[in-house]
Amino acid sequence: MTKKKSGSGLQLGTIMALVIMCAFLAISNSNFYSASNIMGIFKQTAFNAFLAVGMLLCLITAGIDLSVGANAVFCACLMGALKEVGISNGIVLILIAILAGGLMGFINGTLLTRLHLPHPFVSTLGMKNVLWGLALLVTGNKMINNFPSSVEFLGKQTIGSAGGGFPVGFLVVIVLYIIMHFFLSRTALGRSIYCAGGNLEATRLSGINTANVLTFCYTMSGVMAALGGIYSIGRSGICNGANATYPYDTDAIAACIIGGASFTGGKGTMFGTMLGALIIAVLRNGFTMLSIESAVQNIVLGLVIILAVLMDVVRAGVEAKNRRMAAAAKQEAEEKEKVAK
């Protein structure tokens, strides 16, 4: 019961932070609440939200996937390269991209669970550089455009006309997050993911195949990265291997940590992650509206991540203290009961 209250309090604090931030930006710039700007924030949120789904799964298991951004760019570039050699069917391109992203994630999971690399930081950081190189290689170091309309649909299509229309990509994100919420909270595999993050060895001893659970999480992270790559093509109309160096993975991590996930594992919700992704998008949107230079943007985002991690450490310390006090109180009550008898 205490844990649930703590999580609710954290999400309430995150909501308040988002509201305060929006209020400040609205005061600073009257155009912040314009329909076109709000739709722009939703569009910006969607890309990071796709990546954050997979990142959250990895963080819940006390892992991390530093290759999500490069994987998204690689999948986009792979579609571009295939288009250039004559594959014009958009559905085929999308399926190949999803399979490729999932395969890269599966390799990350295999390196961790079957080849026993010491930490996913090592394997996913290496994979990030591999995917960066592959993205440049398959495109021949050039930007590719003129994708089929079916490929651009996710990132380009809108509903209605207000502010340019409500982005279909963000609507897909909402549906995806609802599905993933029920998956994590209501299915045996979802609960196993939390168990693996809480105590991997105890989970293994209870009969759960932890290697398969971890491999599933990293494979799903790859699939979500592929969806992000597909979405990025619709937004920009191009693919560019050089984008693999952008800190997309940092934004995904920040969204999860701000939303309540923990590097120690066993924590995190889809609702909190959505709030985190919105906060990151609002921050970046505010930076643009206030004409803040990129160097300062990086400093602020870095401080936001550090603050979120610090809050997680403090929260974990408080919860540990509460557990010790509860255990001590229980033990004292039992001793008093024995004396009374």
Side-chain angles (χ1 to χ4, degrees), residues 3-201:
K3 186 176 181 181
K4 188 175 287 187
K5 286 180 181 178
S6 174
S8 300
L10 173 68
Q11 291 182 357
L12 180 60
T14 308
I15 293 171
M16 288 301 298
L18 179 60
V19 170
I20 293 171
M21 191 182 304
C22 291
F24 171 77
L25 290 173
I27 294 171
S28 302
N29 192 315
S30 58
N31 292 324
F32 177 77
Y33 277 128
S34 66
S36 60
N37 190 57
I38 296 299
M39 293 305 115
I41 290 174
F42 288 157
K43 290 175 183 178
Q44 191 169 3
T45 300
F47 176 74
N48 190 26
F50 278 121
L51 303 189
V53 173
M55 186 66 74
L56 177 64
L57 294 179
C58 297
L59 286 172
I60 290 174
T61 64
I64 197 168
D65 187 354
L66 298 176
S67 67
V68 288
N71 200 356
V73 174
F74 165 70
C75 291
C77 289
L78 180 61
M79 286 191 288
L82 292 174
K83 182 192 76 72
E84 291 292 278
V85 298
I87 300 178
S88 58
N89 188 309
I91 303 301
V92 172
L93 292 175
I94 289 172
L95 289 176
I96 291 175
I98 292 173
L99 288 173
L103 177 61
M104 297 303 112
F106 177 79
I107 292 173
N108 280 333
T110 301
L111 290 172
L112 175 65
T113 60
R114 267 75 184 188
L115 299 183
H116 305 294
L117 266 67
H119 193 276
F121 181 93
V122 177
S123 54
T124 60
L125 181 61
M127 182 60 73
K128 176 179 181 176
N129 285 276
V130 170
L131 291 169
W132 176 22
L134 287 174
L136 293 172
L137 188 64
V138 297
T139 57
N141 282 334
K142 65 179 182 180
M143 291 185 291
I144 298 174
N145 56 11
N146 296 322
F147 283 88
S149 58
S150 53
V151 172
E152 295 186 344
F153 179 86
L154 182 62
K156 189 175 183 179
Q157 189 64 34
T158 58
I159 300 173
S161 58
F166 190 88
V168 168
F170 189 70
L171 184 62
V172 171
V173 163
I174 293 173
V175 174
L176 174 64
Y177 271 56
I178 292 172
I179 293 172
M180 290 302 297
H181 166 73
F182 282 101
F183 165 73
L184 287 172
S185 60
R186 303 293 177 84
T187 67
L189 178 55
R191 290 190 291 270
S192 296
I193 293 171
Y194 280 104
C195 290
N199 190 321
L200 188 64
E201 184 60 20

Side-chain angles (χ1 to χ4, degrees), residues 219-259:
T219 302
M220 280 296 295
S221 183
V223 170
M224 292 300 114
L227 290 176
I230 295 166
Y231 177 80
S232 70
I233 288 178
R235 278 208 68 193
S236 64
I238 64 169
C239 66
N240 183 4
N243 289 343
T245 59
Y246 285 14
Y248 299 130
D249 47 357
T250 304
D251 280 7
I253 293 169
C256 296
I257 297 299
I258 291 170

